Amino acid sequence: MRLALGPSLALLTACADRPRAPRDPPEAGLVQVVPRTPLLSAWPCSEGCHARRAPDPTRRPLREFHAGRTLDHGPTLRWCDACHPSDDLDRLRLLGGDRVTFDNADQLCGQCHAERHRDWSRGIHGAQSGSWAGPTLRRNCVACHDPHAPQRPMFNPLPPADHDRAYGGGAHP
Amino acid sequence: MSDPEDPALARAFERARLTRRSFLAAFGAAAAAGCADRAERSALWEAFVQQHYKRLTEDDKRVIFARLEAEVRRRHGVQVTIADPAPLRGVEFGYALNLSACVGCRRCEHACAVENNTSRDPTVRYLKVLQMESGSMDVERSRVGYQGPVPAAGHFYMPVQCQQCRDAPCVRACPVGATWTEPDGITVVDYNWCIGCRYCEAACPYFARRFNFSEPDLRPSEINPDQGYLSNRLRPVGVVEKCTFCLHRVRRGEYPACLEACPTGARKFGNLLDPASEVRQVLDHKRVYVLHEDAGTSPRFYYFFD
């Protein structure tokens, strides 16, 4: 009987534990970077709005289209065409002029943020989902950082447990 | 470790005796009512004579899980599945948490409660997010009840949950062997064997164990039906519970719920024995800390700044 015998250590040790067959872990899998293009409502840009109207390369406050979008990302990224080449709006422009897809935006970021990019490739910076054993889904930089104004956002925390709120100060329950 | 003179332990055994008496009363009542509720009677009886987890055969488990599932169905009207995935060969789980990235939003804390069926009222949470003073690792000066918006200037945030110690004081403290460390490094509790003496809770330097003072309270819609015998199945009153790295998820290859909920990517999890795993990448490339190193517990949970 459980409660009567539970405390009896003699009996506990007398009975051998049943071995459980360990299982092999899932096949080590690959890492997939979650694609961005399915999430961009206006993409491909060249087939939508920009089929009718070419981008204007003058730096200005945006009022008519992309209203309210500001560019606040270091001194060298002065205007949209630094990353969105006017002749190839469906892809991104790297510093040297090469083009990458929006799904590979990290390559753009990595040019100036090499250390973060390296940590991201190792799975240290950024976030994973899916399976730790693989396939692992890795979010691209732009899932967390707005490429246009990458300043760190604030969060509203979910509520604390009632007793935590009541005790207010101390960390310990 | 167990001291028969200890009043707390004596109380626990007394409670166990009382439970036994009320069990016998309930069993007797069920018997008196004739065969009306044969299922309930046999469920009561089987729960009472159930063996320690480690001595259960696969057949025993099938019967027990079916009984527990039926009990949830009867009491809450919810169909749950209780599984017991075995540890994975060559896997030792570890966790790393980036204190530079954590913003203290408590998404992890809430996701944990949802995943692990912890009581909503009274609130039981396995993990707490401490608001720390910048430049200090002094837990005594931290706060848990902070309000937003976060991150607040002058602070960083440190979530604390079970550290899955290699030398776990809680395991040594248990007088009845109801808690132990699995081969993959996860410390678990046999909720049917725990006598509720709370020695383990007192022994844990991380305040990571929780005691169910009253019947855990969950609405049927709040019950996560995907359950593990050694992790998130519904716990009875009077037992101790804690974070298991979401054992029922991670042994299937999934990430713990707290990690999936984190919007900043502060949480890293994986196999410590695999050099390519994210957690090993952190250990190999960042300077990591463990909490209360002086306690000599050798946690499998690491913190780092970036």
Side-chain angles (χ1 to χ4, degrees):
Chain A
M1 283 201 217
R2 178 208 148 203
L3 291 167
L5 299 183
S8 159
L9 294 172
L11 201 110
L12 246 171
T13 40
C15 278
D17 294 346
R18 296 200 183 270
R20 273 172 305 167
R23 297 173 306 140
D24 283 320
E27 281 294 310
L30 29 127
V31 176
Q32 291 161 3
V33 180
V34 183
R36 294 298 301 172
T37 34
L39 305 173
L40 299 175
S41 53
W43 194 88
C45 317
S46 68
E47 287 171 21
C49 312
H50 286 291
R52 294 188 291 280
R53 179 148 162 181
D56 175 355
T58 35
R59 247 182 117 197
R60 62 192 192 284
L62 293 168
R63 297 220 172 78
E64 200 185 349
F65 297 102
H66 306 309
R69 187 182 290 289
T70 48
L71 193 55
D72 181 9
H73 193 165
T76 58
L77 300 169
R78 289 181 50 81
W79 194 239
C80 320
D81 50 3
C83 304
H84 300 294
S86 301
D87 59 342
D88 190 6
L89 283 171
D90 298 336
R91 292 192 294 170
L92 294 165
R93 180 183 176 278
L94 300 184
L95 296 182
D98 287 352
R99 309 291 156 86
V100 293
T101 67
F102 276 71
D103 294 336
N104 294 316
D106 60 282
Q107 293 184 23
L108 170 63
C109 319
Q111 292 187 297
C112 299
H113 304 291
E115 211 173 308
R116 293 279 170 178
H117 191 268
R118 196 196 53 214
D119 277 355
W120 176 82
S121 315
R122 289 174 171 155
I124 299 175
H125 188 72
Q128 287 74 232
S129 57
S131 169
W132 56 266
T136 303
L137 301 178
R138 182 175 289 162
R139 265 169 262 172
N140 212 319
C141 321
V142 286
C144 300
H145 303 294
D146 182 345
H148 310 103
Q151 291 70 26
R152 220 176 148 180
M154 299 290 279
F155 288 79
N156 278 318
L158 297 178
D162 294 341
H163 47 85
D164 288 350
R165 190 184 289 127
Y167 294 144
H172 299 321
Chain B
M1 196 72 210
S2 62
D3 171 7
E5 300 302 314
D6 184 287
L9 191 56
R11 269 200 306 280
F13 283 142
E14 175 59 17
R15 203 166 37 239
R17 266 226 328 279
L18 289 176
T19 319
R20 179 161 177 267
R21 195 182 305 151
S22 58
F23 159 78
L24 290 173
F27 189 75
C35 297
D37 203 343
R38 191 186 293 262
E40 180 155 356
R41 251 170 65 198
S42 68
L44 270 166
W45 177 253
E46 279 156 19
F48 188 62
V49 297
Q50 186 177 318
Q51 278 284 10
H52 188 284
Y53 169 83
K54 291 191 191 176
R55 292 193 296 276
L56 299 177
T57 63
E58 291 306 313
D59 283 340
D60 292 341
K61 285 185 194 170
R62 258 191 296 282
V63 173
I64 291 168
F65 297 177
R67 187 190 81 226
L68 293 171
E69 288 168 3
E71 200 178 309
V72 179
R73 210 160 42 233
R74 188 165 52 82
R75 296 184 52 193
H76 305 276
V78 178
Q79 179 65 52
V80 303
T81 316
I82 298 176
D84 184 35
L88 301 168
R89 216 188 302 275
V91 173
E92 182 182 340
F93 289 118
Y95 215 119
L97 201 148
N98 183 347
L99 295 173
S100 309
C102 177
V103 292
C105 69
R106 296 201 188 93
R107 301 277 190 285
C108 50
E109 188 180 323
H110 284 250
C112 168
V114 170
E115 177 69 33
N116 288 296
N117 292 316
T118 59
S119 175
R120 302 301 197 274
D121 183 23
T123 324
V124 173
R125 302 240 172 107
Y126 290 169
L127 94 86
K128 293 201 181 284
V129 185
L130 312 188
Q131 186 181 51
M132 308 280 288
E133 308 274 331
S134 289
S136 155
M137 288 295 276
D138 184 1
V139 176
E140 300 300 324
R141 279 163 58 206
S142 66
R143 287 172 50 93
V144 285
Y146 63 86
Q147 311 273 6
V150 289
H155 295 284
F156 71 96
Y157 297 84
M158 183 161 76
V160 179
Q161 60 210 78
C162 175
Q163 311 274 307
Q164 314 293 359
C165 305
R166 293 180 176 83
D167 190 356
C170 53
V171 169
R172 276 186 283 127
C174 181
V176 297
T179 184
W180 65 93
T181 303
E182 289 272 290
D184 54 6
I186 301 176
T187 296
V188 295
V189 179
D190 183 342
Y191 309 120
N192 282 48
W193 201 257
C194 173
I195 58 167
C197 71
R198 305 178 67 190
Y199 270 29
C200 56
E201 192 187 346
C204 174
Y206 307 102
F207 299 92
R209 287 180 168 248
R210 304 284 176 264
F211 180 70
N212 281 294
F213 280 102
S214 48
E215 188 75 28
D217 176 43
L218 287 160
R219 278 191 295 256
S221 62
E222 291 170 332
I223 293 175
N224 173 9
D226 172 22
Q227 302 186 356
Y229 184 79
L230 293 174
S231 55
N232 66 338
R233 70 176 162 109
L234 300 186
R235 274 81 55 184
V237 63
V239 302
V240 168
E241 55 180 74
K242 66 184 237 342
C243 158
T244 60
F245 281 173
C246 289
L247 175 147
H248 53 286
R249 292 172 59 99
V250 299
R251 285 186 183 168
R252 288 196 305 237
E254 290 168 49
Y255 284 108
C258 50
L259 183 146
E260 292 247 346
C262 178
T264 68
R267 292 173 167 270
K268 304 293 155 194
F269 177 84
N271 181 5
L272 288 168
L273 306 180
D274 172 8
S277 71
E278 286 130 24
V279 67
R280 268 293 290 281
Q281 290 291 308
V282 172
L283 296 187
D284 292 351
H285 293 109
K286 301 287 167 182
R287 179 156 166 225
V288 297
Y289 304 79
V290 296
L291 200 52
H292 300 319
E293 190 166 18
D294 48 312
T297 52
S298 188
R300 292 186 182 83
F301 201 107
Y302 303 88
Y303 294 93
F304 67 108
F305 288 97
D306 198 7

